[in-house]
Amino acid sequence: MTDILHIALEVDGAGQHPAAHLLAPHTTPATPPGRPGVTPDAHRVRTVTAAAENAGVTFVTFDDSLTPAPGRAAHRIDAVTRAAFVAPLTSRLGLVPLVHPAVTEPFHVASQLAALDHASRGRAGWLVGTGPVPGARRALDRPVADGEDLVAETVDVVTVVRDLWDSWDDDATIRDTATGRYIDRERLHYVDFASGGDGPFASPALRSAPDGARAPFTVKGPLIVPRGPQGQAVVVGRVGTVPGALLDVALVPDLADVDAARGDGVARVLVDLTVTLDAAGTPGTARRDQLDALVPGTTTGLAYTGDAAGLVALLLDLRGVVDGVRILPSVLDDDLPVLVRDVLPALRVARAVPVPRPGATLRDTLGLPRPASRFAATA
Amino acid sequence: MTDRFPHAHVHLGVFFQGVNHSTIWSDPASGSQLDFETFRQVVQTAERGLFDAFFLGEGLRLREQNGLLHDLDVVGRPDAITQLAALAAVTTHIGLAATQNVTYNDPADLARRLASLHALSGGRAAWNIVTTDNAWTGENFRRGGWLHHSQRYERAAEFVQAAQAIWDGFGSTVRYAASTVELEVQPTVELADHPVLFQAGDSPDGRDFAARHAEVIFSAHGTDFDDALGFADDIRARLRAAGRPEDDIKVLPSTQFILAATDEEAREKARWVKEQQVTPATALSLLGQVWGEDLSSYDPDGPLPAHDPAITQVSETRGSPRPGADPRAVARAWRERAEAEHLTIRQLVLAQDRQRGFVGSVESVADELVRWVRSGATDGFNITPWLVPTGLDDVVDLLVPALQERGAYRTEYTSTSLRDHLGLRAPVPHRAVLVGA
Ligand SMILES: Cc1cc2nc3c(=O)[nH]c(=O)nc-3n(C[C@H](O)[C@H](O)[C@H](O)COP(=O)(O)O)c2cc1C
């Protein structure tokens, strides 16, 4: 642990408050003049991530779900696709989309995030989705692990994804003109992964399998994507749903959970903090009341309501307690401008946050080592 | 001969990463096959050349030969939709086509990812529907090799119908039930229209599937005019049989261009290109496919093996489809030719490797391309550059202006939608398959 505080930011949709998406957007989603083909979706993700990067945020997360989620706008595009879109438009910001291990094929998870790591030159992370996905079983026409099974499934999927990221040694592409070999096949590895689970094995049997049954699976490898700049994308998740040993960054809902995460051996622990700031002349408390009047917000977890100076003080106090804070803005359009204008600059002045360098990988910024491949020969 | 389509324009696409040994990676001018900058340079060059689309293939298991990873060709590529989303941010007009198979994807998941690319790019996404069904690829996926080969296009048709219903079904509950696809989902992406549907598959079933569902065919008929015209006429007949207008599908064959100042220089260059593509090691590998054994210890500058193949079917490099043939007959023919013409192994393989695509001066290739599209043999071409990232430069700087001079190529983009670039109709709404919305 250091005295540096990493600031992460959730940038999905209109904001974290379940009423946020019901407010009229303040920023115009219209196509800016002279930018043909720039859609509202593109404009939104582009401007929000640019603001986060300029403010010195370490990484942004992109929440997601296969099916509509309560309290969120009905229209939501795939998180990996959003993260990939902004990869060439940013140069310092970590990009951490949510992908659910029980929903997306493990082989596709590994390929997509490895591709994101290449496209972003080493700024990819994976926010491991947790919890049941309503409707996924019917949408996917196969059993989707739930409850206890979901924890075991998550362990298996994170493990095989990490195996696949290691299935190419860093120096596997040799381009040896003397022998005509593009790769050294000794430096690629079959992962031969077999999951746990005791449900029926393969479809079409999967279709009639009982709900919640855990269908075992195997993955041969190697990955189709060579090893990324970071070796492994940064794996971000909740302790309790993913064993700490499989995580690079743990997100905890409250300060009471920090010790458990540390005990689990996670290198970086970030606490989630919902913020509702004084914005545009309206006190945060009044904004929260207005939002709660539309749809009552949740009362669990760490939350801050008030002015920017108070938030700065709170964050400075968290130095040495946690490695960082993931800020969940109640309404992005209202809270992000205050974070960018008043909060992050004050943290920078206090030397409390890292200043990500252009070209640095997310691992560099987080101070995490680049892992060696588990399969690479140690000759 | 009068032109059947006197006003037809040439549509160009670029197929990046190619297949098999088409990409020369040994040349000093060959850049990284993986760095984002290479992709950026290729797609931006294509956009400067007013191409319709940039196109990525898919292979979900690394190729093998004789049970070993095939190591002679370019290996490793990014996930297509992820990469195209990144490229969407650095381009404004060009279409972005992802090859995605219907066997190892979930319809609800893939439809959403394609819709996401389409929404972010402002209507520039396309899906090249392929049926890759082999159990060997399935070893990387939850369901394994679950689909019988004979069901591949049944699954494809059901998958596409389900995807179309999802693209149309925002704000409702989409239910689809058929023999290989059954789902119920509330779509989360609102679209104004659909990604363009490409198809690549040459069997009669594949062609019928295209005639019913596709808007563009990425064909393998891009070298010989009569072959291309025969294919296009066959597709037109199948379209009529399916009750669609003859021009409802655009055909863009895979091809390569080798351009030079004169035809003679271009032929010289083509010989050089082929020698770079068929390296000594690749020659032994291709020979080994016929013999069904590892011949890598043979001398490529020496004679062919004296023994007959022990196998009865030409082995494929797994992951790349090759027609089955009687290996003993092939081997006998190859040996006879090598003896008659005094050819070494590599010389024989080079002689057997048919020249692909178009070879000639800029002027004569431009004339040829215009003849092809105006006779109805194709609507354009999907170019595999044999060199990246610079392999499109002469196409864009020299061939495109020559086509423009002939009035056969756009001089500016008139839309930011791929559907418009290709001159395709708006998709028919697929609410018919919505049940109980
Ligand atoms: C020009 C062309 C390009 C193709 N590209 C791919 C590809 O990138 N990935 C893939 O899995 N299959 C690809 N295919 C294979 C076909 O989709 C299909 O699976 C195969 O041809 C078998 O179908 P068929 O029996 O109808 O020919 C391609 C086929 C053609 C003709």
Side-chain angles (χ1 to χ4, degrees), chain A residues 232-269:
Chain A
Q232 302 233 336
V234 174
V235 180
V236 182
R238 286 191 186 288
V239 172
T241 57
V242 194
L246 289 171
L247 291 176
D248 297 301
V249 175
L251 296 177
V252 295
D254 219 325
L255 294 174
D257 307 300
V258 172
D259 285 347
R262 294 225 188 276
D264 244 9
V266 188
R268 297 286 176 269
V269 180

Side-chain angles (χ1 to χ4, degrees), chain B residues 318-365:
Chain B
R318 305 202 66 174
S320 81
R322 281 187 144 253
D326 174 7
R328 286 162 198 257
V330 175
R332 204 167 308 128
W334 282 23
R335 269 214 303 263
E336 279 166 14
R337 179 168 182 189
E339 274 159 32
E341 299 176 29
H342 306 289
L343 302 176
T344 66
I345 288 176
R346 179 149 179 248
Q347 287 168 336
L348 184 273
V349 172
L350 281 166
Q352 287 295 134
D353 196 29
R354 195 173 61 120
Q355 182 61 50
R356 284 182 64 235
F358 294 80
V359 177
S361 69
V362 169
E363 300 301 318
S364 53
V365 169

Side-chain angles (χ1 to χ4, degrees), chain B residues 15 18-19 55-60 77 99-101 128-133 149 152-153 199-207 218-221 252-254 319 321:
Chain B
F15 178 48
V19 286
F55 195 99
L56 293 178
E58 180 201 60
L60 295 174
R77 47 155 55 112
T99 302
Q100 296 283 309
N101 84 84
N128 181 35
I129 305 157
V130 298
T131 59
T132 320
D133 56 58
H149 185 66
R152 68 197 188 285
Y153 282 108
Q199 182 269 1
D202 212 23
S203 62
D205 281 354
R207 294 180 186 201
F218 180 24
S219 87
H221 305 269
L252 303 183
S254 158

Side-chain angles (χ1 to χ4, degrees), chain A residues 105-115 160-161 164-165 223 225:
Chain A
E105 276 284 346
F107 196 82
H108 291 324
V109 177
S111 305
Q112 290 168 18
L113 293 167
V160 69
V161 166
L164 287 165
W165 286 338
L223 197 60
V225 190

Side-chain angles (χ1 to χ4, degrees), chain A residues 247-313:
Chain A
L247 291 176
D248 297 301
V249 175
L251 296 177
V252 295
D254 219 325
L255 294 174
D257 307 300
V258 172
D259 285 347
R262 294 225 188 276
D264 244 9
V266 188
R268 297 286 176 269
V269 180
L270 271 62
V271 67
D272 275 349
L273 173 68
T274 304
V275 303
T276 315
L277 296 168
D278 298 356
T282 313
T285 46
R287 288 183 48 222
R288 199 193 51 212
D289 291 346
Q290 287 164 11
L291 291 163
D292 284 347
L294 286 170
V295 184
T298 54
T299 50
T300 59
L302 204 58
Y304 173 84
T305 305
D307 66 1
L311 178 58
V312 170

Side-chain angles (χ1 to χ4, degrees), chain A residues 105-163:
Chain A
E105 276 284 346
F107 196 82
H108 291 324
V109 177
S111 305
Q112 290 168 18
L113 293 167
L116 179 64
D117 204 38
H118 283 286
S120 64
R121 297 171 169 271
R123 291 177 290 121
W126 173 20
L127 178 54
V128 181
T130 52
V133 184
R137 197 246 181 278
R138 287 181 162 197
L140 299 174
D141 190 22
R142 61 169 162 82
V144 175
D146 206 345
E148 289 278 294
D149 281 343
L150 179 54
V151 175
E153 179 86 349
T154 301
V155 170
D156 277 339
V157 173
V158 175
T159 302
V160 69
V161 166
R162 283 189 175 280
D163 285 355

